């Protein structure tokens, strides 16, 4: 690990003043520290923001929205009773991510900022445009099959690994940030960026901006009765997703009044599928409808590194997530590692 400055501000103003080009914010450290140990990242200054007051609160606002502080721990949010009642698929996604120990340390803002698990990014011996802009992309044509199938380009085929961000996209979450030019809000759908031929800039954050909170609009509570997050991975105990899907319906009688669908680990950002949502809305739910919607969700998919299998897996995962959402949110969610629901069930497979 290369030498670096280490500062511990106690106010947001002090934290913003401490930022300089080459610096990195430190929250739970579950991702940043690992990458610093391998040499994949080498910030010149680490700014520990865990002493900033007021950023570790879960606020239930009068207008029905929830405001989630940047330093709230993943496990605390997953087990919050009001979150379970109003945004159950967020809890389901958090409990599907990482291990219990990591969830106890990881923060919500850190989850938004976690870096890709592309092995060519994580190993500094390989060329990577994300780590060193203009260096090239050794992952392209490499031995890594769990690469992007949507939105990838010549410069990068990495995926976003977050479980948490997939239902956030479905729920139209808002990211509150503050930087040298003041405060602003960024829709979660626009927060993560796709690579293009000239840039692999990963988020919409400007230099020196710090995430303060996430906000879940009250409108998302209408989906609580019919929403699910489905993750497919190589082992249930601890693994990143091969693909995942968040599906939600607002039902009116026997019809779908409004549908939401997003895919995870298929692109450099959570992949919201508006065309599939339009197909589903107003219809009576059935398996044929879900299969057609899933087909639309993957109609633009293109394999990278020969991973055509992933397109079919994503299509089947999306259809199954829609079917589960239509069945209704269970009173007790499927048991997952360290789940508060604790009811043993057979593991789900797409």
């Amino acid at each position: 690990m290369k030498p670096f400055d280490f500062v511990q501000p106690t106010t947001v103003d002090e934290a913003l003043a401490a930022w300089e080009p080459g610096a990195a914010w430190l929250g739970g450290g579950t991702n940043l520290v690992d990458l610093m140990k391998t040499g994949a990242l080498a910030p010149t200054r680490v700014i520990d923001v865990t002493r900033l007051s007021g950023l570790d609160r879960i606020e239930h606002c009068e207008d029905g929205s929830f405001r989630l502080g940047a330093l709230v721990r993943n496990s605390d949010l997953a087990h919050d009773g009001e979150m379970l009642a109003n945004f159950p698929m967020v809890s389901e996604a958090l409990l599907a991510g990482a291990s219990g120990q990591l969830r106890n340390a990881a923060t919500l803002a850190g989850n938004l900022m976690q870096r890709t698990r592309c092995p060519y990014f994580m190993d500094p011996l390989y060329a990577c445009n994300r780590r060193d802009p203009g260096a090239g992309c050794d992952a392209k044509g490499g031995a890594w099959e769990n690469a992007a199938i949507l939105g990838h380009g010549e410069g990068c085929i990495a995926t976003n690994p977050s479980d948490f961000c997939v239902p956030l996209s479905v729920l139209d979450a808002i990211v509150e940030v503050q930087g040298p030019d003041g405060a602003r809000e960024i829709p979660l759908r626009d927060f993560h960026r796709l690579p293009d031929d000239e840039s692999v800039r990963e988020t919409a954050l400007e230099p020196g901006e710090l995430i303060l909170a996430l906000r879940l609009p009250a409108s998302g509570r209408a989906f609580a009765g019919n929403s699910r997050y489905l993750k497919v991975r190589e082992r249930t105990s601890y693994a990143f997703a091969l693909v995942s899907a968040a599906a939600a319906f607002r039902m009116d009688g026997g019809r779908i009044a409004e549908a939401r669908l997003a895919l995870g680990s298929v692109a450099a950002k959570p992949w919201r599928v508006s065309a599939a949502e339009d197909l589903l809305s107003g219809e009576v739910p059935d398996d044929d409808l879900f299969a057609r919607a899933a087909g639309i969700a993957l109609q633009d998919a293109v394999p990278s590194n020969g991973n055509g299998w992933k397109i079919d897996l994503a299509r089947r995962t999306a259809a199954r997530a829609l079917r589960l959402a239509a069945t209704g949110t269970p009173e007790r969610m499927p048991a997952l590692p360290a789940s508060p629901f604790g009811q043993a069930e057979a593991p789900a497979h797409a």
Side-chain angles (χ1 to χ4, degrees):
M1 188 179 291
K2 295 183 178 179
F4 56 89
D5 292 337
F6 184 73
V7 294
Q8 291 183 302
T10 57
T11 69
V12 171
D13 287 343
E14 287 179 6
L16 296 177
W19 189 88
E20 63 182 20
W25 306 115
L26 175 68
T30 57
N31 189 203
L32 175 65
V33 174
D34 279 351
L35 294 172
M36 290 175 66
K37 288 178 179 176
T38 66
L41 295 179
T44 55
R45 169 173 287 186
V46 173
I47 305 171
D48 177 3
V49 297
T50 58
R51 298 189 178 190
L52 305 185
S53 63
L55 301 189
D56 58 350
R57 300 172 184 163
I58 301 172
E59 301 176 60
H60 309 144
C61 304
E62 291 185 0
D63 65 356
S65 65
F66 281 31
R67 187 173 186 273
L68 316 172
L71 296 178
V72 171
R73 305 291 175 180
N74 286 9
S75 55
D76 290 337
L77 184 64
H79 292 254
D80 182 87
E82 291 295 320
M83 279 296 298
L84 284 167
N86 292 283
F87 303 104
M89 67 177 166
V90 173
S91 298
E92 193 171 18
L94 285 169
L95 292 170
S99 64
Q101 293 91 336
L102 286 170
R103 291 195 294 271
N104 288 339
T107 64
L108 302 188
N111 202 310
L112 264 64
M113 295 299 294
Q114 67 175 307
R115 310 298 294 271
T116 180
R117 262 59 185 184
C118 173
Y120 294 86
F121 165 77
M122 299 174 72
D123 188 337
L125 295 178
Y126 291 108
C128 175
N129 285 322
R130 283 181 179 242
R131 205 179 52 246
D132 184 13
C137 175
D138 280 349
K140 199 170 180 62
W144 183 50
E145 283 199 346
N146 194 18
I149 53 176
L150 288 161
H152 54 87
E154 287 298 316
C156 183
I157 58 172
T159 56
N160 184 294
S162 174
D163 295 295
F164 179 51
C165 291
V166 185
L168 291 186
S169 173
V170 162
L171 294 168
D172 290 334
I174 302 294
V175 185
E176 299 179 10
V177 305
Q178 188 162 341
D181 296 325
R184 68 184 180 115
E185 298 180 346
I186 307 171
L188 192 280
R189 290 178 65 169
D190 300 328
F191 185 80
H192 298 99
R193 293 166 52 98
L194 296 177
D196 56 37
D197 293 339
E198 298 180 353
S199 172
V200 290
R201 182 180 170 190
E202 296 174 46
T203 73
L205 286 180
E206 297 294 337
E209 285 189 321
L210 175 66
I211 298 173
L212 299 183
L214 292 167
R215 198 168 67 252
L216 294 177
S219 58
R221 299 167 63 178
F223 298 92
N226 293 89
S227 62
R228 294 299 300 272
Y229 178 73
L230 178 62
K231 176 178 181 178
V232 180
R233 48 189 161 178
E234 292 181 332
R235 62 184 188 278
T236 302
S237 61
Y238 185 107
F240 292 97
L242 296 173
V243 297
S244 67
F249 298 133
R250 180 171 60 80
M251 300 299 294
D252 183 6
R255 290 186 177 274
I256 300 168
E258 185 177 1
R260 303 280 179 89
L261 177 66
L263 302 175
S265 294
V266 297
K269 61 184 296 180
W271 195 264
R272 183 82 177 264
V273 195
S274 299
E277 295 173 356
D278 292 342
L279 174 74
L280 292 158
S281 297
E283 300 294 329
V284 176
D286 65 41
D287 285 352
D288 177 68
L289 177 67
F290 299 150
R292 286 188 286 128
I296 288 175
L298 276 303
Q299 64 184 359
D300 295 326
V302 177
S304 61
N305 287 7
N307 59 357
W309 58 269
K310 190 169 174 176
I311 297 175
D312 187 50
L313 181 62
R315 185 183 298 113
R316 288 186 287 117
T317 302
R320 177 162 181 164
L322 291 167
R323 187 164 61 249
L324 290 171
T327 302
T329 306
E331 292 184 8
R332 297 173 65 87
M333 288 187 185
L336 291 165
S339 167
F341 308 101
Q343 184 174 356
E345 292 182 0
H349 299 283

